[in-house]
Amino acid sequence: MEEKEFVFKRSFSDGKQRRLIFNTKNFKFENKDFGNNLFTIFDKEEITDYRFGIRWIRFELTYGREYQIFVRNKEK
């Protein structure tokens, strides 16, 4: 099973590097700061909808971008 792992920072205010991991059965992202289980996991069979895109950060001029992934599971 091949995994793809990406490292990112969530925002300017959260400088901690987080991980996003894709594989054939699920994907998981690191969104918790404390505890043993730092990841939220979405199994492939649970996902009902998804979308992704870029939000440009502007204030009189463009100075950044934010990549967004939205996922909906069976529990909404």
Side-chain angles (χ1 to χ4, degrees):
M1 174 184 340
E2 184 179 344
E3 280 193 346
K4 298 285 184 182
E5 182 172 334
F6 302 91
V7 178
F8 64 96
K9 292 182 184 179
R10 288 195 309 193
S11 68
F12 295 122
S13 62
D14 181 10
K16 182 179 178 190
Q17 291 190 340
R18 310 280 183 165
R19 292 180 293 163
L20 173 65
I21 302 170
F22 290 97
N23 62 44
T24 56
K25 293 184 179 183
N26 61 33
F27 83 89
K28 55 186 173 179
F29 62 97
E30 186 177 1
N31 66 332
K32 300 171 187 155
D33 291 326
F34 303 105
N36 294 333
N37 188 6
L38 300 176
F39 290 90
T40 296
I41 300 172
F42 284 94
D43 289 327
K44 180 180 175 181
E45 292 80 25
E46 293 178 356
I47 297 172
T48 59
D49 191 21
Y50 70 93
R51 63 185 167 119
F52 57 91
I54 298 174
R55 183 179 72 91
W56 295 98
I57 302 170
R58 298 181 180 143
F59 182 74
E60 295 186 17
L61 61 109
T62 302
Y63 61 90
R65 63 183 172 245
E66 178 179 79
Y67 297 96
Q68 299 177 327
I69 301 172
F70 298 93
V71 178
R72 180 179 295 158
N73 63 5
K74 293 177 181 178
E75 297 173 7
K76 300 197 186 264

